[in-house]
Amino acid sequence: MSNGQWYPPEWPDRIRALARGELTVASPKRAATVMLLRDTAGGPAVHMLRRRASMAFAGGAYAYPGGGVDPRDDDHQVGWAGPSLDEWARRLGVDAASAQAIVCAAVRETYEEAGVLLAGPTAGTVVGDTTGDDWEADRRALVARELSFADFLQRRSLVLRSDLLGAWARWITPEFEPKRYDTWFFVAALPNGQRTRNASTEADRTVWISPAEAAAGYDKGELLMMPPTISTLRTLQPYATAAEALAGAADQDMTPVLAQARLEGDELVLSWPGHDEFTKRIEGTSRTKSPDGTASTHDTEITDGTGSAGSTESTGGTA
């Protein structure tokens, strides 16, 4: 592998199975993730977590705090500050109820996985330290879905500070994946008085790292990442401060990015429109019958389009 792009070895098999009509496409679930920034002497740093190697999906990969929408966030009006739900709906490309749920997911997941809460008693304030035992009890209840985010905010007389978030990108899991997510990426600055911690059961470490340093680690093959992660890191690099990045969110393209696969002769080409660096060319043949009538598979070589090999053997079954 010439860089740190996470690429599961079963993808070629699943792509071919989808092309043959042997896979049922799963509907993507709504999700949100937040690129949390803080200013340093060398420019903004972003908070990232490394997924445990034991995780079935993207184990060992670096990512941002995030997760799926809680359906209850569609149903209950939460205390709200910042742009209206209609404004958020236009920006996110959804209806108002969905916009609330997606923004709530971004704020809730940041609290659940990093201990940072983008909410305050008023539209112009934000909570301070959230590391006390009572805060931790509420955080655990949110993680366990014993407490809805709307009830959490109401009980603490807080309003969600949607103005502290900027919508940055939208990526949809490829159709050949068994679990799919329609994920909105946001940017936010670490509030004064709060600090991050590794509160996620899915991560074995967290780091504050400059986007440029993280991207360099990916390019060297030292940091494993999925395409949406490295793509958004690269778009953060031009900004000198967290505030500049938040202001720049309004100019980011929110067109959904969905991987596409096509056959060129015996070669399968996997690409993400508008993101040529992630193109993968998968060489090999489909499943064939051996002379004795039993099924056999051929090795599959995955390259990044520059001749650098990635995973080198198919998993069989549907290759």
Side-chain angles (χ1 to χ4, degrees):
M1 180 164 56
S2 60
N3 54 33
Q5 184 175 341
W6 179 76
Y7 190 96
E10 66 271 16
W11 271 12
D13 288 349
R14 295 191 62 85
I15 292 169
R16 291 188 174 99
L18 179 64
R20 293 193 297 268
E22 298 171 0
L23 284 183
T24 300
V25 177
S27 297
K29 298 179 179 179
R30 298 169 300 170
T33 189
V34 176
M35 301 178 289
L36 192 63
L37 304 176
R38 73 176 184 188
D39 289 324
T40 72
V46 61
H47 179 71
M48 303 190 75
L49 51 84
R50 185 177 65 186
R51 294 173 59 82
R52 295 186 183 278
S54 59
M55 297 292 292
F57 180 79
Y62 282 80
Y64 314 115
V69 163
D70 182 345
R72 292 175 295 181
D73 292 334
D74 289 277
D75 302 329
H76 299 86
Q77 181 69 45
V78 303
W80 194 268
S84 69
L85 289 177
D86 286 340
E87 291 177 87
W88 274 111
R90 286 191 292 272
R91 179 65 177 142
L92 301 180
V94 296
D95 58 49
S98 295
Q100 174 180 282
I102 293 162
V103 174
C104 280
V107 175
R108 174 178 47 75
E109 289 287 340
T110 303
Y111 182 51
E112 289 180 10
E113 297 196 340
V116 170
L117 182 59
L118 303 176
T122 69
T125 59
V126 67
V127 297
D129 185 17
T130 61
T131 58
D133 290 344
D134 59 331
W135 286 102
E136 179 61 14
D138 279 350
R139 191 195 67 80
R140 290 183 179 275
L142 286 168
V143 172
R145 297 298 183 263
E146 298 167 352
L147 177 66
S148 75
F149 194 59
D151 289 341
F152 165 72
L153 293 175
Q154 183 177 24
R155 191 167 74 186
R156 288 188 170 271
S157 299
L158 298 174
V159 294
L160 184 153
R161 290 287 307 275
S162 77
D163 56 313
L164 299 181
L165 287 167
W168 199 266
R170 181 181 177 184
W171 288 66
I172 302 175
T173 308
E175 292 182 340
F176 45 82
E177 275 282 21
K179 293 183 178 180
R180 303 183 62 219
Y181 295 92
D182 187 351
T183 304
W184 284 262
F185 286 71
F186 296 85
V187 66
L190 178 69
N192 291 330
Q194 295 194 39
R195 60 182 186 272
T196 58
R197 56 195 176 92
N198 183 8
S200 173
T201 59
E202 298 180 355
D204 60 12
R205 69 172 301 204
T206 61
V207 296
W208 282 100
I209 187 170
S210 74
E213 183 181 356
Y218 168 90
D219 290 336
K220 296 175 184 176
E222 298 171 351
L223 300 182
L224 189 66
M225 298 180 201
M226 291 175 280
T229 308
I230 180 59
S231 173
T232 49
L233 275 173
R234 295 201 197 284
T235 57
L236 284 173
Q237 288 183 233
Y239 298 94
T241 67
E244 283 186 15
L246 188 60
D251 298 324
Q252 300 302 312
D253 185 2
M254 295 299 294
T255 302
V257 180
L258 174 65
Q260 297 177 352
R262 67 183 185 276
L263 284 172
E264 294 182 358
D266 190 39
E267 187 175 58
L268 191 154
V269 181
L270 178 61
S271 62
W272 282 258
H275 301 270
D276 292 343
E277 73 165 296
F278 305 126
T279 298
K280 294 291 182 183
R281 309 187 77 88
I282 304 162
E283 300 171 354
T285 59
S286 59
R287 188 169 183 166
T288 60
K289 294 286 185 179
S290 62
D292 62 5
T294 60
S296 64
T297 59
H298 296 268
D299 287 348
T300 299
E301 184 176 52
I302 302 170
T303 69
D304 61 5
T306 65
S308 300
S311 301
T312 58
E313 187 175 339
S314 72
T315 57
T318 58

